[in-house]
Amino acid sequence: MTAIGTPQAGNNLDPWYHHYAERAAALRASEVRALFAVASRPEVVSLAGGMPYVAALPQDLVMNALENVMRKQGPVALQYGSGQGVPLFREQILEVMALEGIRANADDVVVTTGSQHALELVSKLFLDPGDVVISEGPSYVTAMVIFKSYQADVDHVPMDDQGMIPEALREHIARLKAAGRTIKFLYTIPSFHNPAGVTLSWARRLEILEIARENQILVLEDNPYGLLYFDQKAPDAMRSVERDGVIYLGTFSKTLAPGFRVGWALAPHAIREKLVLANEAAVLSPSSFSQLVISEYLATADWKGQINTFRGVYRERKNAMLSALAEYLPELTWTNPNGGFYVWLNLPETLDSKAMLPRAVKELVAYTPGTAFFADGQGRQNIRLSFCYPTPEHIRLGIRRLATVVRDELEL
Ligand code: PMP
């Protein structure tokens, strides 16, 4: 037996390599992570991350909320709280969800440490090794990391510009069932998809809910971007028409600020109690401080007007990105999102987005290769471009640099 703490074959740097649980294998740094460290240098235009542009927030109003909370209820804000979340705050969350057609009871809302943590809790409750999660292909990378860390497999259903294709979903379910697989839930980002930038049409929302109902598959509706539309509102949330078969996830990360780390799950009543218990086991209680500050902000600031400001900022940036693409890369195709943060670019077949990234970084532009968003190696001909953080001028510059890289690659 090798002594504890002795480096072993497989990983010379980590003496505990053979002690990890099997599920830890899924927690690997992505191959492009090291490059992103380089890409964070100021001279690089990063179209890679998904950081909200929090500088557009009314900082004074956030400061007011913070001061009011400390003055009026400092000891409560600094104390542990309910494992389900502050009751008044959960009522306010109902008002946010009402904007997307959801009518619910505050008793079914569970406040979490960002919606990322809600994804973790739902996975913990439902996934056993070998289970299957169906998702769009591509899908949100860090949700898939969680699913895989619970040793579930991700099955990708293809999408088009209307979102997930219902016929393909039916086929996938039939195939998985015929193979004796257990499908635990359908994970979907219906509005302003990350990374594809497309929105599931209303007709398809109904159809997909019907398919899920027929097959007794729980739907996990992840909706961080729904309120960040540009011209036309997204269709109402799937949860607005299906209460018992949908766990809905929301967050203040994109409409307010991710630094609060506050999101929520709206769960079918039967599931809600388990979620609260899982939340308590994980964090005891979500941050009282963050919840109370957001609650005060919602009560005192024009938060709907502020979301409108964000919409304007992101609309301008999306337009800058699409016009730069049309000017510098007219031979390629891309999605035209009506909200959210992302454009999905299709490359010619001879190019490989992952292999091209180091050369792009050398040309001082970074993006996320499509392969990051598939569990099965697809995505080499795709790139996710984020327009949320850089200024319109930087977006133009970034796309111009990207065009140079693409041209050079095509001529190789
Ligand atoms: N779901 C999706 C689709 C996301 O894009 C993100 C953030 N990038 C999250 C969940 C997690 O967000 P948060 O934990 O900040 O609420």
Side-chain angles (χ1 to χ4, degrees), residues 114-116 119 140 187 189 194 222 224-225 251 253-254 261:
S115 53
Q116 190 65 32
L119 286 167
Y140 171 47
Y187 170 67
I189 307 156
N194 178 5
D222 189 8
Y225 305 101
T251 179
S253 288
K254 321 289 169 167
R261 305 309 300 128

Side-chain angles (χ1 to χ4, degrees), residues 16 25 36 47 56 74 92-93 106 120 173 185 195 198 212 247 256 314 339 394:
W16 303 102
F36 284 162
L47 306 173
Q92 292 169 303
I93 287 173
E120 166 76 27
I173 293 172
F185 51 79
V198 300
I247 300 178
L256 186 56
Y314 297 133
H394 273 107

